[in-house]
Amino acid sequence: MAPRISDEAKEERRLTLLDAALECFSVKGYYASTVDDIVSYSKLSKGSFYNYFESKEDIFINLLQLNKEETLQMLQTNLDKLNSPIEKLKYWINSDIPYDLKKKKMMRTHIEFWLYSTDSPDVQHILKDRFDVMFAMTKEIIAQGQQAGEFKQDIDPEKASAMFWALHDGIWLHVTIGYDEEKVEERIKEMEAAMLAYLT
């Protein structure tokens, strides 16, 4: 009989495979990557892969869901520590500084999610749900800023939130063409200045 492994060890293996998938997708892209590539990155067996995931698409979706949960939890925790809506917005804009290697890998993979969503209703649903939640959060911060007298009263929170995400996602699309850390951080600061000029 094969030895039983603890729940902690099982979770560690699952996370190892997810880390390997992130590495693989960020380097090769979703379509060019294979299960064998992920297994090779993970240093685990192919059998281990299929103990946790049904397919390449399944691990792709699990990686997206994990990122969604971690991102929202961390963001909400840090925003809750701030009282001023303007400080919340500034924190959110600057939360990608420093622009490190892990963020670069995740953004490349996230753009793969965007591309793949045209072929996968499941991925499209996850992305839309994530975007709707984050859009609503930015819209609420802007509305709170108006109530607190920090933002202009004649600003439409819906349109301002759309502007926020157009600028944010535009920066990250440009990341994929090779912006270095200094240039990305410069663009983020420009986004902060543009949003504050618009809102205050």
Side-chain angles (χ1 to χ4, degrees):
M1 177 184 295
R4 298 181 64 181
I5 64 173
S6 67
D7 289 341
E8 291 81 5
K10 288 179 181 178
E11 181 63 9
E12 185 177 343
R13 288 187 181 183
R14 190 181 78 88
L15 292 175
T16 295
L17 287 161
L18 286 166
D19 285 343
L22 173 60
E23 185 72 26
C24 193
F25 295 145
S26 70
V27 172
K28 299 185 68 174
Y30 176 79
Y31 288 102
S33 298
T34 66
V35 169
D36 286 339
D37 291 327
I38 296 168
V39 168
S40 177
Y41 273 107
S42 73
K43 307 272 193 276
L44 296 174
S45 69
K46 199 166 185 177
S48 291
F49 178 92
Y50 286 110
N51 281 335
Y52 298 96
F53 305 102
E54 296 178 1
S55 62
K56 181 177 75 168
E57 181 181 59
D58 186 37
I59 197 171
F60 194 54
I61 289 172
N62 273 269
L63 183 61
L64 176 56
Q65 289 174 322
L66 178 65
N67 174 251
K68 170 189 168 185
E69 292 164 6
E70 289 180 342
T71 299
L72 288 175
Q73 182 178 11
M74 181 181 70
L75 183 62
Q76 192 63 66
T77 297
N78 290 324
L79 289 175
D80 286 345
K81 295 175 183 177
L82 302 170
N83 293 320
S84 165
I86 197 168
E87 291 304 318
K88 289 183 179 185
L89 197 69
K90 287 167 67 177
Y91 167 78
W92 196 333
I93 292 170
N94 288 282
S95 62
D96 289 317
I97 297 175
Y99 173 60
D100 56 25
L101 182 59
K102 184 175 180 179
K103 287 188 176 78
K104 184 175 183 179
K105 290 177 181 177
M106 196 62 238
M107 184 44 56
R108 166 68 194 273
T109 303
H110 200 80
I111 290 172
E112 291 288 327
F113 292 143
W114 290 350
L115 296 172
Y116 185 65
S117 68
T118 60
D119 296 327
S120 172
D122 288 338
V123 170
Q124 190 173 69
H125 175 74
I126 295 167
L127 284 172
K128 185 178 184 305
D129 180 62
R130 179 182 187 273
F131 180 75
D132 287 347
V133 169
M134 299 186 86
F135 189 95
M137 288 171 65
T138 52
K139 184 177 173 181
E140 177 62 22
I141 289 171
I142 292 164
Q144 289 173 357
Q146 290 177 313
Q147 292 168 5
E150 294 184 355
F151 297 149
K152 296 174 184 175
Q153 297 301 308
D154 60 346
I155 295 293
D156 181 339
E158 178 90 12
K159 292 178 180 178
S161 189
M163 178 179 174
F164 177 100
W165 285 104
L167 291 169
H168 178 277
D169 291 347
I171 289 170
W172 288 115
L173 283 171
H174 291 165
V175 167
T176 63
I177 64 173
Y179 274 5
D180 59 24
E181 181 177 346
E182 183 177 343
K183 186 172 284 189
V184 172
E185 293 182 4
E186 181 183 312
R187 296 293 183 264
I188 290 170
K189 298 308 293 185
E190 288 169 356
M191 174 184 171
E192 178 185 35
M195 285 302 305
L196 293 179
Y198 176 66
L199 291 167
T200 61

